[in-house]
Amino acid sequence: MGVVQICKGEYFWLEPKNAFDNFQEPNIGLIALAFLQGSFAYGGWNFLNYVTEELVDPYKNLPRAIFISIPLVTFVYVFANVAYVTAMSPQELLASNAVAVTFGEKLLGVMAWIMPISVALSTFGGVNGSLFTSSRLFFAGAREGHLPSVLAMIHVKRCTPIPALLFTCVSTLLMLVTSDIYTLINYVGFINYLFYGVTIAGQIVLRWKKPDIPRPIKINLLFPIIYLLFWAFLLVFSLWSEPVVCGTGLAIMLTGVPVYFLGVYWQHKPKCFNNFIMLLTLVSQKMCVVVYPDVGGSSGTEVINEDTEQQWQPIASKNKD
């Protein structure tokens, strides 16, 4: 439809004199916030890293998937936005709660229903991918002893981490306390980019301190350095533009600190506490029909933290009995 519009001469807002005309006062903080919100749409590249142990030949397929998907998604999104501005002005884009639906109503007539259905399918696909990958974070964290070991259980037949999926569901419901989607995007975007930056900074530090460790996937250091510069601009000016929203996101992240000290750092817990956790684990195991994965198997679980493995042994032996 965008190509048809351009061929019909409907490209007023694509002409340089109109496309770069400021209809509101430029603000570097708002520009950074716009990048933060816009980058949310491109965040899928990171999710595949969560399931590398479930990929076939990840050293080859992981970079290949990222190299193919990012240019493809960028191409689709850029040209979708080009299509939007052939039918709507920037003011109409800002005023619309669902740009694709408004676009369909303007151009598709009686077939406008195609757009909301397409948006719903796209949303379903995004949620499906997010659930599949995000639950593996809790699964891996529990396997390393950073979260309750119940989250490291998998279904006896389907081998899916059901407790981790349910925990993801509860966490998601808590986020829905606010109905403002832009606030949620700012929360998630700010926290995500904070961790992205720390992770990439860690990559540079490891390259400097441990240059000889095996690196099956290796890139030039110029790319993480450029990313860190952009990352600093994004976070500093986003925090300056929306200090309350970004500060709230930071506070949400810091709630993990007391949980870490109570659950991981505090080693000598009372016996009643340990018994309660064991009882909760057994009840959850029976309700979800889940067991701990084979520690000695070939699925990648052989890297389980030794302390976590010791915690599993009493429960595993009870299951066998």
Side-chain angles (χ1 to χ4, degrees):
M1 291 304 300
V3 172
V4 170
Q5 285 287 97
I6 291 173
C7 292
K8 289 166 62 177
E10 300 289 343
Y11 48 80
F12 177 82
W13 291 107
L14 293 175
E15 295 178 358
K17 63 179 181 180
N18 301 316
F20 295 98
D21 183 30
N22 294 322
F23 57 91
Q24 68 181 51
E25 192 67 27
N27 184 305
I28 193 166
L30 292 178
I31 292 173
L33 205 60
F35 271 108
L36 192 68
Q37 292 184 350
S39 63
F40 178 80
Y42 298 89
W45 66 270
N46 183 52
F47 286 102
L48 196 59
N49 302 302
Y50 300 164
V51 291
T52 49
E53 76 175 21
E54 298 180 46
L55 289 178
V56 176
D57 195 0
Y59 298 144
K60 180 188 295 182
N61 290 325
L62 178 63
R64 181 182 294 170
I66 292 174
F67 292 154
I68 293 173
S69 63
I70 289 182
L72 182 61
V73 170
T74 303
F75 175 86
V76 171
Y77 280 176
V78 169
F79 278 87
N81 280 279
V82 168
Y84 293 156
V85 296
T86 62
M88 290 176 279
S89 67
Q91 291 81 357
E92 288 177 299
L93 287 171
L94 286 173
S96 174
N97 290 324
V99 176
V101 175
T102 306
F103 175 80
E105 290 172 349
K106 278 181 168 286
L107 299 182
L108 297 180
V110 294
M111 299 299 291
W113 56 269
I114 291 175
M115 296 306 291
I117 289 179
S118 300
V119 171
L121 291 173
S122 176
T123 304
F124 180 82
V127 170
N128 179 62
S130 180
L131 283 176
F132 175 71
T133 53
S134 297
S135 61
R136 267 61 178 180
L137 281 177
F138 303 122
F139 175 74
R143 210 169 60 181
E144 293 294 328
H146 299 156
L147 289 169
S149 55
V150 64
L151 298 179
M153 294 186 196
I154 59 174
H155 193 271
V156 292
K157 292 182 179 179
R158 298 179 179 86
C159 297
T160 52
I162 291 179
L165 283 165
L166 292 175
F167 189 76
T168 305
C169 175
V170 173
S171 304
T172 305
L173 291 174
L174 289 175
M175 291 183 185
L176 293 177
V177 171
T178 174
S179 59
D180 186 352
I181 186 65
Y182 293 106
T183 301
L184 281 173
I185 289 175
N186 287 337
Y187 285 161
V188 175
F190 184 79
I191 295 172
N192 276 354
Y193 269 89
L194 189 61
F195 279 105
Y196 293 167
V198 171
T199 303
I200 290 176
Q203 178 191 11
I204 296 174
V205 171
L206 284 175
R207 189 76 69 87
W208 171 50
K209 288 191 171 182
K210 297 183 178 181
D212 299 323
I213 61 175
R215 289 183 170 86
I217 302 175
K218 188 175 180 180
I219 62 169
N220 192 297
L221 276 181
L222 179 65
F223 294 105
I225 290 173
I226 292 174
Y227 183 91
L228 276 181
L229 293 174
F230 176 73
W231 170 81
F233 157 79
L234 205 63
L235 288 191
V236 169
F237 286 103
S238 295
L239 189 59
W240 177 66
S241 177
E242 289 282 354
V244 175
V245 173
C246 294
T248 304
L250 192 61
I252 292 172
M253 182 189 71
L254 291 176
T255 57
V257 175
V259 174
Y260 170 80
F261 277 101
L262 287 173
V264 180
Y265 186 78
W266 184 23
Q267 293 292 327
H268 304 290
K269 300 179 180 67
K271 186 177 180 180
C272 60
F273 180 83
N274 289 329
N275 289 338
F276 172 74
I277 294 298
M278 184 174 291
L279 177 63
L280 184 63
T281 301
L282 289 172
V283 170
S284 302
Q285 188 172 11
K286 291 176 180 179
M287 289 180 62
C288 300
V289 197
V290 290
V291 294
Y292 295 110
D294 182 8
V295 176
S298 58
S299 62
T301 54
E302 63 273 7
V303 297
I304 292 173
N305 180 285
E306 290 182 4
D307 295 334
T308 307
E309 184 177 346
Q310 291 175 1
Q311 294 173 10
W312 288 6
Q313 296 306 324
I315 303 175
S317 61
K318 285 186 178 182
N319 295 334
K320 291 178 181 178
D321 295 340

